[in-house]
Amino acid sequence: MSSGVEPGEVLSPWALRFGIVEKDPPLKEDEIWHSGYITDPVRTDPKFYADSEVLDQGPHSLIEVNRYFHTAFLQSEHQAGIPQWTFGPLMQYIRFSDRGLLPGGHWRPESSPVAATEDGLVVDDSESVIGTELIEVNEDSWFSFLRRERWYDTILSNKVPSGARWSVDQPRIWKHLSLSLELFNRMLRALIHDQHPVMHTVLFGTLMYWREGGEMQPMPEPFPDARVLLSYALYKEWCDKKGSECPAEGSANLPSDVWEYVLEEWLRSLMWGFEDHPGAVGITWHTHNNVVTMHTQPLETLASGDITAAERCHLQYTIAVTLFHELMHALMHFRVANQYSPKDPAKPWQLGGEPFIDYDPVAEMGYAVESRVLGGIPTSIATDSYIPLGSYVRFWPDPTQEGGKTALGYMLDDHPTFVGTQNLTMSPISALYTSKLLSRSFWDDETILRKSDNFFHRNRLIFSTTAYNRGSATSISKYAVDDTNFAIDGNEPGKKALDPGEREMIDSWREWENIWRTVHEPWYDQAFYSWWNSPWAVVPDLRTLYQFARDFRAGDEPGCAMACDTLVSSIDWTVDADTYRRALLLPGSSNWITHSIGLLMMASMPIRKERIEYNVQIYTPKGPQFIPSSRNPKDIDALYVTSGPKRVTTSCEPSQIYSPLGEDEANQPISDFEHSDILLQVHKIIVAITDAGSLVSAPWVQEIIRLFEDIRIQREEMKKNDPKYHLRLWMPTWDFKLPDYDPTQNYQWDAEAGTFRLQSPPPNLIDI
């Protein structure tokens, strides 16, 4: 997620507050960039989006239709399919005690159904929630490895107003970091007090090689020396089946104070710091004795004035969960290092990867523990500015990821867990819940004996469950209220009661859902059908096209080559003519368009006759510099996080083209070709389309033909001027222009007239 906003660019109110999801051309209206977080950024306020009177009314032109559904696609990607109208109900209330509901900051004061109290608990957009009902930060009660003396000062590219170092001695940093640390400490102590099974596994579970598990193994060892971390329950079950004594028996009934002692011992050398690494909220630096760093931007956002109480609660919770996640990585690395030796003594941090808990299909210690403690992976609906639009809990493990090393851990593609249909469940987190965890009343409530039960007492009131089979395309199912398990409409026997404030939230959810349905019913289905079946809906391919344009301007040959390969492979052109022609003429498919544009992209860049390596350079990657703080022990040394000099080689494989509609039935790669041969393939595609009488998008055909002619003329001139080396020349410019959205304009070839004719639009097209 990166806005790439340039100085001087004009931003919409939403883009000003949240940034831009992706800088895709459909998000630009005249000179104004829209954010991509909201489908109607004009009529919906970026802060007071809980006001129903500013509800999105839908698009009013074809250009707005394309922007609307392009944005909706981005929402599905970046917001887990959570509809934008849900932000209001989920963020409008916070609650700290029996004092009652407080505004989350997303209603205008004159229309808010609840008001801030006047007796000390004041909710203000420019300040944190203050008063007597927020948890009190008590550093003396913390585990020693969380305290201020364990935090390095850190020198980064950005700085705080009162100095160049990022330091816990900076009040604006510590004020917000300490609150998340307090919450994290309470959650960690609760897990130990409650003797949560996964905390027992992390502290005392049996580390062994995968292959040593005998009948416990769900599949053969996935790679040499893969390791597992066995819970007491699984290990005991295995021993009982074998009729043998369980070696883990001695740790089964240890008191909580022993758990705390062992945790402190494992983490006695743990240190913390800050970083500004893009794309990571937290990092555990195994190469530097497991220093854990937290990203500075969430803390900067909390310290800013432009953030509401509900947003603060979500962000403080997100930081606490991130601390927990990274701590699990560090803890397990210490455990593995204690039991196993590195293969290369010069690189003691390389210990062969994290273990799989109980033969999980994924090895990722942070997520594996999170999912067992929190019921999934809490995920912030983060924006480019780090101001959250909310949070949700997502499923784990994630079968939609490819096997091997992924962003969500090392995944075993052929694990039995992934066989058959998987139910992928996601559930939004309300500000009511995050404010509850930050309240004294929750932690002081003696009737809640086990704080960690039910995923820290989170009611999954709203959820989406999608049936998924690996390899299939699946749309996220609609989010719905769980009226099967919860007494949504009153005191229903056998159903769980709602927490205070949740009935009001559900009432608001239903009200917004009904309004949204009423407003959208007259136009939405027709408009979506038209857009979804148009070339403008292939957003990932269009994004590749936009990236090609950026790489072309930069002269990035590997980047351009990769983009070409992606779009050309929209249709397999290595096959025989009949198979290729069927793919080209597939009714309703836009693949022939992206395939053709990929070929035109190829024709605009140099032809490589052999593998090329270039841009070899020596560099030292920038990283944080950890400086001992005034509170660190005197024997702590500074750390400079770099990975040392590296040789960076970028390369391109030789260019290769096929001619599936040519005379060679075997369709072997063409051994000697020029740019004109690439253009010939595009010409043959257009001929195949016309001969078949296919109905095709007029704006896209016009643009492909225009671009084809532009490249052809320029390439002929370049060959004339430089006949010897023209194959290695770039076109002066890449001049593709995204056609204006209009699904009603369709061509069909008129053979008698020798030209394209506009045809009547297919049924179910929007009438705007």
Side-chain angles (χ1 to χ4, degrees):
M1 176 178 54
S2 176
S3 65
V5 175
E6 302 293 335
E9 289 186 325
V10 182
L11 304 180
S12 72
W14 274 79
L16 275 171
R17 187 160 196 265
F18 296 107
I20 303 173
V21 181
E22 300 282 355
K23 215 168 182 187
D24 296 346
L27 297 184
K28 193 171 186 181
E29 181 182 9
D30 298 327
E31 298 303 315
I32 299 175
W33 277 102
H34 293 289
S35 70
Y37 294 110
I38 193 84
T39 53
D40 189 347
V42 176
R43 288 178 282 274
T44 308
D45 190 272
K47 182 178 287 186
F48 303 118
Y49 50 73
D51 279 355
S52 59
E53 62 265 32
V54 291
L55 184 66
D56 172 12
Q57 299 297 312
H60 296 272
S61 69
L62 285 170
I63 290 177
E64 286 189 10
V65 169
N66 186 43
R67 184 179 306 118
Y68 186 102
F69 288 116
H70 188 96
T71 300
F73 186 95
L74 296 179
Q75 289 177 341
S76 179
E77 277 192 328
H78 295 278
Q79 297 165 200
I82 298 175
Q84 64 193 44
W85 58 263
T86 67
F87 300 153
L90 292 167
M91 299 286 278
Q92 65 185 347
Y93 299 127
I94 57 176
R95 188 181 187 278
F96 290 92
S97 73
D98 291 340
R99 190 189 304 260
L101 297 178
L102 294 167
H106 298 283
W107 288 87
R108 290 181 172 84
E110 63 272 16
S111 56
S112 176
V114 294
T117 60
E118 299 177 356
D119 55 353
L121 186 59
V122 179
V123 181
D124 185 272
D125 287 340
S126 62
E127 293 294 335
S128 177
V129 178
I130 59 174
T132 60
E133 299 185 359
L134 200 65
I135 52 175
E136 181 181 5
V137 174
N138 179 11
E139 190 175 350
D140 291 338
S141 70
W142 295 358
F143 286 103
S144 64
F145 51 79
L146 299 180
R147 294 176 187 167
R148 221 184 311 203
E149 63 264 21
R150 293 292 192 95
W151 286 79
Y152 274 115
D153 286 359
T154 312
I155 294 179
L156 298 167
S157 57
N158 56 7
K159 58 184 180 180
V160 295
S162 54
R165 292 188 186 185
W166 269 84
S167 172
V168 292
D169 289 333
Q170 296 286 347
R172 69 189 299 271
I173 296 174
W174 186 245
K175 174 182 179 181
H176 305 291
L177 176 59
S178 62
L179 184 59
S180 289
L181 283 165
E182 176 68 32
L183 175 58
F184 173 37
N185 182 74
R186 290 176 182 237
M187 295 174 73
L188 200 52
R189 289 198 181 277
L191 291 168
I192 291 176
H193 172 272
D194 301 342
Q195 301 213 338
H196 195 288
V198 77
M199 278 304 298
H200 184 277
T201 301
V202 170
L203 292 172
F204 307 107
T206 302
L207 268 171
M208 64 167 60
Y209 287 112
W210 180 293
R211 60 179 177 268
E212 295 174 333
E215 295 178 357
M216 284 189 292
Q217 300 177 74
M219 56 181 285
E221 183 180 45
F223 52 84
D225 295 337
R227 301 186 186 101
V228 293
L229 178 65
L230 298 184
S231 65
Y232 169 74
L234 182 61
Y235 201 12
K236 180 70 164 61
E237 179 185 351
W238 183 49
C239 292
D240 288 347
K241 287 182 179 179
K242 295 194 305 177
S244 61
E245 184 177 343
C246 182
E249 200 71 56
S251 67
N253 298 299
L254 296 172
S256 297
D257 59 343
V258 175
W259 292 39
E260 292 183 356
Y261 172 80
V262 170
L263 180 61
E264 290 274 18
E265 281 297 298
W266 282 124
L267 300 175
R268 62 184 178 274
S269 63
L270 179 69
M271 296 292 289
W272 305 81
F274 303 98
E275 47 85 16
D276 54 3
H277 191 279
V281 184
I283 298 176
T284 301
W285 300 83
H286 295 316
T287 53
H288 291 75
N289 199 32
N290 294 308
V291 174
V292 176
T293 54
M294 299 300 297
H295 202 289
T296 58
Q297 190 56 55
L299 295 169
E300 280 281 19
T301 300
L302 282 167
S304 75
D306 185 28
I307 185 169
T308 69
E311 291 163 347
R312 288 184 187 280
C313 291
H314 274 297
L315 204 46
Q316 297 281 182
Y317 173 74
T318 296
I319 294 173
V321 171
T322 304
L323 291 163
F324 181 56
H325 179 103
E326 297 303 330
L327 189 82
M328 292 301 107
H329 285 302
L331 172 57
M332 191 48 52
H333 196 269
F334 284 127
R335 280 207 60 187
V336 171
N338 182 67
Q339 185 167 329
Y340 298 97
S341 300
K343 292 183 178 180
D344 182 356
K347 298 177 180 179
W349 59 86
Q350 293 185 355
L351 295 167
E354 292 185 320
F356 298 80
I357 292 184
D358 283 351
Y359 289 97
D360 275 349
V362 185
E364 214 290 353
M365 193 55 53
Y367 290 132
V369 177
E370 272 186 61
S371 64
R372 289 165 166 86
V373 168
L374 302 172
I377 308 304
T379 306
S380 175
I381 305 177
T383 61
D384 200 56
S385 66
Y386 277 85
I387 298 176
L389 284 165
S391 303
Y392 64 96
V393 175
R394 65 176 286 117
F395 51 88
W396 191 91
D398 186 350
T400 67
Q401 297 281 317
E402 294 182 1
K405 190 174 182 180
T406 75
L408 298 178
Y410 193 98
M411 177 171 289
L412 306 180
D413 245 347
D414 49 354
H415 195 281
T417 296
F418 296 137
V419 174
T421 302
Q422 310 288 306
N423 287 324
L424 312 183
T425 298
M426 294 182 286
S427 177
I429 300 174
S430 71
L432 282 170
Y433 176 71
T434 54
S435 62
K436 178 177 76 173
L437 285 188
L438 288 163
S439 72
R440 291 190 187 186
S441 63
F442 172 73
W443 295 99
D444 293 346
D445 190 342
E446 295 181 356
T447 66
I448 306 175
L449 300 179
R450 295 173 54 87
K451 305 298 185 187
S452 68
D453 281 357
N454 188 31
F455 312 124
F456 283 92
H457 298 271
R458 177 178 60 84
N459 288 339
R460 196 195 68 175
L461 293 174
I462 300 162
F463 69 99
S464 163
T465 297
T466 302
Y468 174 78
N469 289 285
R470 302 202 78 174
S472 64
T474 305
S475 298
I476 298 173
S477 296
K478 178 183 175 182
Y479 285 81
V481 174
D482 184 1
D483 54 9
T484 302
N485 298 301
F486 291 91
I488 302 296
D489 298 312
N491 187 15
E492 303 172 65
K495 294 185 179 181
K496 186 177 179 181
L498 302 182
D499 285 348
E502 289 182 337
R503 186 173 306 284
E504 290 85 345
M505 182 189 73
I506 294 299
D507 288 344
S508 180
W509 173 284
R510 287 174 166 174
E511 178 186 357
W512 274 79
E513 188 174 35
N514 289 333
I515 293 173
W516 184 269
R517 185 184 301 113
T518 300
V519 169
H520 285 70
E521 273 182 350
W523 65 270
Y524 184 92
D525 288 345
Q526 266 191 314
F528 178 74
Y529 177 88
S530 300
W531 181 83
W532 185 249
N533 290 285
S534 79
W536 289 270
V538 289
V539 176
D541 288 337
L542 293 179
R543 193 168 296 143
T544 300
L545 178 55
Y546 307 147
Q547 185 60 47
F548 175 84
R550 291 189 286 268
D551 290 340
F552 188 95
R553 289 193 296 270
D556 182 351
E557 192 167 3
C560 287
M562 185 180 300
C564 288
D565 290 345
T566 298
L567 293 196
V568 169
S569 64
S570 298
I571 294 179
D572 185 358
W573 65 330
T574 67
V575 296
D576 62 88
D578 288 341
T579 303
Y580 181 71
R581 190 175 284 106
R582 282 196 300 272
L584 280 179
L585 305 178
L586 187 66
S589 172
S590 300
N591 287 346
W592 76 270
I593 292 176
T594 50
H595 179 64
S596 299
I597 293 174
L599 292 171
L600 293 174
M601 287 157 53
M602 187 184 295
S604 71
M605 61 182 296
I607 290 175
R608 302 172 303 282
K609 294 295 186 180
E610 57 189 18
R611 189 176 190 270
I612 298 174
E613 291 188 1
Y614 62 107
N615 283 350
V616 179
Q617 55 184 318
I618 303 295
Y619 80 108
T620 301
K622 179 184 175 184
Q625 300 177 29
F626 299 121
I627 311 298
S629 74
S630 62
R631 298 171 182 271
N632 289 157
K634 299 303 181 184
D635 58 348
I636 292 292
D637 295 324
L639 286 177
Y640 297 89
V641 177
T642 62
S643 56
K646 284 188 176 182
R647 293 184 62 83
V648 178
T649 304
T650 54
S651 63
C652 286
E653 297 301 320
S655 302
Q656 193 171 62
I657 71 168
Y658 296 83
S659 183
L661 298 178
E663 297 179 357
D664 178 14
E665 292 185 3
N667 191 20
Q668 296 296 313
I670 298 176
S671 57
D672 190 23
F673 62 92
E674 298 186 354
H675 292 96
S676 59
D677 296 299
I678 303 173
L679 293 171
L680 179 60
Q681 307 311 310
V682 181
H683 174 77
K684 290 178 178 178
I685 291 171
I686 299 297
V687 170
I689 295 291
T690 58
D691 286 350
S694 300
L695 196 67
V696 292
S697 170
W700 285 89
V701 169
Q702 291 168 359
E703 178 57 18
I704 288 172
I705 292 175
R706 184 201 67 79
L707 190 59
F708 173 93
E709 283 299 307
D710 179 57
I711 295 173
R712 182 186 64 80
I713 292 170
Q714 291 194 63
R715 277 296 177 193
E716 288 178 356
E717 186 69 18
M718 292 164 70
K719 181 177 180 179
K720 178 181 176 182
N721 294 335
D722 195 347
K724 187 173 182 180
Y725 295 106
H726 69 98
L727 296 181
R728 283 297 302 155
L729 297 179
W730 292 81
M731 288 273 293
T733 59
W734 168 252
D735 190 36
F736 173 82
K737 296 178 176 63
L738 181 69
D740 289 340
Y741 177 70
D742 190 347
T744 68
Q745 298 292 304
N746 290 278
Y747 275 155
Q748 196 167 35
W749 183 254
D750 186 334
E752 292 185 6
T755 187
F756 281 109
R757 299 284 190 191
L758 281 174
Q759 299 296 317
S760 299
N764 297 319
L765 289 178
I766 184 173
D767 181 17
I768 290 184

